[in-house]
Amino acid sequence: GSGAVSQLSLNGAQASERELVTGLGKPVGLAAVGDTLYVSDQNSGNVLSYTLSKVRAQPAGLADGKLVATFTTLDGIDLMTAASDGTLFFGGSGGKLFQVSPKGETSVLVSGWPKIIGVAYDEIHRRLFAAVAAPDASGSASVRIVPVP
């Protein structure tokens, strides 16, 4: 794969980009919790973790990642958000809203929705905001609130 995760650095009006993780198919989700960088790759259905300080010091390849969870291509995993304890949340084109614990245990919080195109986590109130695409061209997108157990 030619997909990568890059770090953009700004210095006044100058910007520079440096690749941190390479060899991904289609990286679509990214979250940093402490010194852990989580990346979801839509092409493979994998969620991987890397040590952030290590990839900043020396770029890593796909094979250097630790497998956290795997999904099918039908799940179409997409954008991701994280809680401070490393719990990950994301949706996808398959209409499911997923939760992955720090131990890699996967659960489905909601299913049956049209494509979920974005998520945000409110840790104080333990709830997710999910941006859901319209079911068809005549409908409209919506934001749905989901309590997190």
Side-chain angles (χ1 to χ4, degrees), residues 28-142:
V28 292
L30 182 70
V33 178
D35 195 35
T36 304
L37 177 68
Y38 296 98
V39 181
S40 62
D41 189 335
Q42 195 174 64
N43 282 1
S44 68
N46 292 332
V47 178
L48 305 165
S49 69
Y50 297 86
T51 303
L52 186 56
S53 58
K54 287 183 181 179
V55 298
R56 283 182 168 158
Q58 177 69 38
L62 175 67
D64 299 317
K66 177 184 172 194
L67 183 64
V68 175
T70 300
F71 298 88
T72 70
T73 53
L74 294 176
D75 292 324
I77 59 174
D78 213 320
L79 298 176
M80 177 184 350
T81 189
S84 62
D85 70 353
T87 300
L88 305 174
F89 304 97
F90 50 92
S93 59
K96 294 178 183 172
L97 185 60
F98 296 101
Q99 176 177 321
V100 178
S101 78
K103 295 179 182 179
E105 300 158 334
T106 303
S107 57
V108 176
L109 297 175
V110 175
S111 64
W113 289 351
K115 180 179 179 179
I116 300 168
I117 54 178
V119 291
Y121 182 54
D122 173 4
E123 191 153 11
I124 293 170
H125 298 101
R126 297 193 51 80
R127 60 188 178 173
L128 282 168
F129 296 88
V132 180
D136 56 44
S138 65
S140 59
S142 62

